[in-house]
Amino acid sequence: MKQSHNSGFFDTILHVLIALGLVSLTLFFAADSWFGAIGLRAFYFYGGIAVGVVCYLLIPFVIVYENMASRTRLYYGLFSLSILLILIISPLMLVFLIAGWFFGFIFGSLWLPIGVVLAAIGIVLVIQIALIFSKHPRTEAVKKGFTIVTLIFMSGYIIGCAAFPQVAQGKIIDRFTYGDHQYFLYIKFGGGDIPDDYLALYECNSAGLFCEVTYEAPSGYYRESQLAIVYDAGQDVVGAEIDGRFLPIEFSEENAAYLCEFFDVPSFVSFCTHSQFQNHYGFLQMMWYATPINYEEIVSFFERAGTFDAQACPPPEVVFADGSKESFTCRLRFPDKPYYLELYMSNRYGSVQYNVDLVSSGIFESD
C-alpha cells in the first residue's frame, strides 16, 4: 500500500514535469540551428552528455518513486549528482563521445529533423496531461511506460546531438559585446576527411541570436594560434585577431570596386554591387567565384600588373621540391595600393592545396 507521505501533488504531475523538461531541452538543442544561437555551442557537449545521463538515471526513479520515502529520494538525487561530477572530471567523457556517434545514428540525431522530435515529445506531454484526469486503474502504468520509453529515446538522441562535429570538435574561443551586438569567435578543429580547422567570426543581435558569419578565415591550422575578438576604434569595426594580426570585416566601396576590377569579376557578383556583402567573407566568396584558386591563375593577375616577383613567390614545384616544407605563404603586391594578396600553399596531404587572404599595412591590418 502506498504510504501517505509519498503521495501528493508532485507524484501526480511527475510525468508531466519530465515531458515538459524534455520539450524545453529539445528547444535548447534546436536553438543553434533554428535561432542562430551560436554561443550555446559552448554548452552543448558537456550539457548534452549530462542531460543524457540524467535521463537514464531518471528511469529507475520513475519505476519505484511511489515506494520511495522522501529521504530515499534525496539520497538518490545526491547519488545522481555524484555520478555527474565523476563523469565530468573523468576520461569517461571520451567514451560518451564515441557512444554519441553510435547513438546519433540509432536514435536519429544524425538524420531525424529536430522538429519531428519536438512534435513527438509535445504529443507525449499532451498525453501525460490528459492522463492526470483519467480514473482508469492502469493509468499509472501507462504514464510510466510513456515516460520510460521517452527517456530512453531522448537520452540517446541528446547524447548524439552532443557528439555532432560542430559541437564535440568545436569551441567558442572568444565572446565580445559592442553596442547592441554580440560577437562569437568559433573554431571547429579539423580531422578525418577535412583536416583543416574552420575559424569564423559570428555577429549576433543583443540577445546572442540570429548570428551570421562576418569573417571566415582561410582553411588552415589555427588550434595553436592566439585568437581573439578585438575592436579597432580607428576603423570602428569589430574583427578577429589571429596571432596579433587584425582582420576587420568591412571594405570601403572604393576598395571593393578596385578588387573587382583587378580580378575582372562580373558586375553582378554581390561583393561588387552590394555594400552588405563587402566584408571579408564576401571577398573570399568573390575570389572563389572569380577564378580557380591555384598558383598559375592567381599570379597571372599580378604578372599582368607588373608586380609579380618569382623569387618571393616561387611555384609549388620549387617550394616543395626538397620535401623540407609542408606549407608556404607568399604575398603578391597590388600596384599603387598598400595591401597584398596572401597566397597560402599546403602540401601536407600529398597534393597542393591553396587558400588566399587579403592583408595590408594601412587598410586591412597592421604589418
Side-chain angles (χ1 to χ4, degrees):
M1 187 177 204
K2 190 187 300 183
Q3 299 179 22
S4 60
H5 66 268
N6 285 332
S7 62
F9 184 67
F10 173 79
D11 296 343
T12 303
I13 66 168
L14 172 65
H15 302 283
V16 171
L17 290 176
I18 292 175
L20 183 61
L22 292 175
V23 167
S24 302
L25 287 168
T26 306
L27 285 171
F28 175 73
F29 282 93
D32 177 15
S33 57
W34 284 8
F35 309 112
I38 301 301
L40 292 181
R41 290 180 185 175
F43 308 98
Y44 279 166
F45 178 60
Y46 287 97
I49 300 300
V51 168
V53 172
V54 168
C55 287
Y56 281 129
L57 290 172
L58 277 173
I59 293 172
F61 178 79
V62 167
I63 294 173
V64 301
Y65 78 97
E66 291 176 298
N67 299 313
M68 282 184 173
S70 298
R71 181 174 297 180
T72 305
R73 294 178 180 179
L74 176 61
Y75 290 156
Y76 190 82
L78 294 174
F79 167 76
S80 300
L81 181 60
S82 301
I83 293 294
L84 287 177
L85 291 176
I86 292 172
L87 174 65
I88 291 173
I89 63 176
S90 74
L92 287 174
M93 291 298 289
L94 296 177
V95 175
F96 274 96
L97 174 59
I98 298 172
W101 300 332
F102 173 77
F103 287 158
F105 178 77
I106 296 299
F107 291 96
S109 305
L110 300 181
W111 52 271
L112 195 61
I114 199 165
V116 173
V117 175
L118 181 61
I121 303 302
I123 292 172
V124 171
L125 174 61
V126 172
I127 292 173
Q128 295 288 28
I129 293 174
L131 288 174
I132 290 178
F133 305 98
S134 174
K135 303 300 183 182
H136 195 281
R138 298 187 62 183
T139 295
E140 191 63 32
V142 173
K143 288 194 292 185
K144 283 185 178 181
F146 269 112
T147 297
I148 291 170
V149 170
T150 304
L151 285 172
I152 292 173
F153 173 81
M154 287 304 295
S155 178
Y157 185 87
I158 291 175
I159 291 176
C161 289
F164 279 177
Q166 65 264 35
V167 173
Q169 296 172 230
K171 184 178 181 181
I172 300 295
I173 297 294
D174 197 10
R175 175 183 175 275
F176 186 80
T177 301
Y178 176 69
D180 59 350
H181 289 85
Q182 291 189 44
Y183 297 84
F184 296 94
L185 189 59
Y186 166 79
I187 184 172
K188 177 182 173 295
F189 302 112
D193 295 335
I194 307 177
D196 289 331
D197 299 333
Y198 172 78
L199 179 67
L201 177 67
Y202 287 85
E203 182 181 34
C204 319
N205 65 15
S206 58
L209 302 175
F210 306 110
C211 303
E212 296 182 351
V213 173
T214 56
Y215 168 72
E216 185 176 285
S219 297
Y221 189 79
Y222 295 103
R223 63 195 69 190
E224 296 178 1
S225 298
Q226 296 295 318
L227 306 171
I229 304 173
V230 297
Y231 169 67
D232 187 320
Q235 302 179 71
D236 191 30
V237 295
V238 174
E241 188 176 78
I242 303 174
D243 292 329
R245 189 175 71 188
F246 180 62
L247 301 167
I249 59 178
E250 299 293 338
F251 289 79
S252 69
E253 291 185 8
E254 178 185 355
N255 286 329
Y258 173 85
L259 292 168
C260 290
E261 181 179 358
F262 184 88
F263 290 108
D264 193 23
V265 180
S267 59
F268 59 81
V269 175
S270 298
F271 177 80
C272 304
T273 58
H274 297 87
S275 59
Q276 65 265 36
F277 296 107
Q278 290 171 350
N279 52 42
H280 193 275
Y281 182 67
F283 167 74
L284 295 178
Q285 293 291 93
M286 180 272 286
M287 284 297 300
W288 283 103
Y289 181 89
T291 182
I293 304 299
N294 58 53
Y295 181 85
E296 292 78 12
E297 293 288 342
I298 293 297
V299 301
S300 65
F301 291 103
F302 295 88
E303 287 176 333
R304 291 195 293 269
T307 61
F308 177 64
D309 182 353
Q311 290 185 334
C313 195
E317 56 266 24
V318 173
V319 172
F320 304 121
D322 61 1
S324 62
K325 292 185 176 70
E326 288 188 342
S327 64
F328 181 76
T329 302
C330 60
R331 290 183 172 184
L332 302 165
R333 182 173 60 84
F334 290 91
D336 304 320
K337 289 288 183 178
Y339 47 97
Y340 307 81
L341 188 79
E342 197 169 70
L343 178 63
Y344 171 82
M345 298 179 280
S346 170
N347 194 38
R348 290 193 184 112
Y349 310 107
S351 62
V352 180
Q353 305 293 320
Y354 297 91
N355 272 300
V356 294
D357 203 354
L358 193 67
V359 298
S360 169
S361 58
I363 298 176
F364 301 103
E365 69 155 0
S366 297
D367 253 351

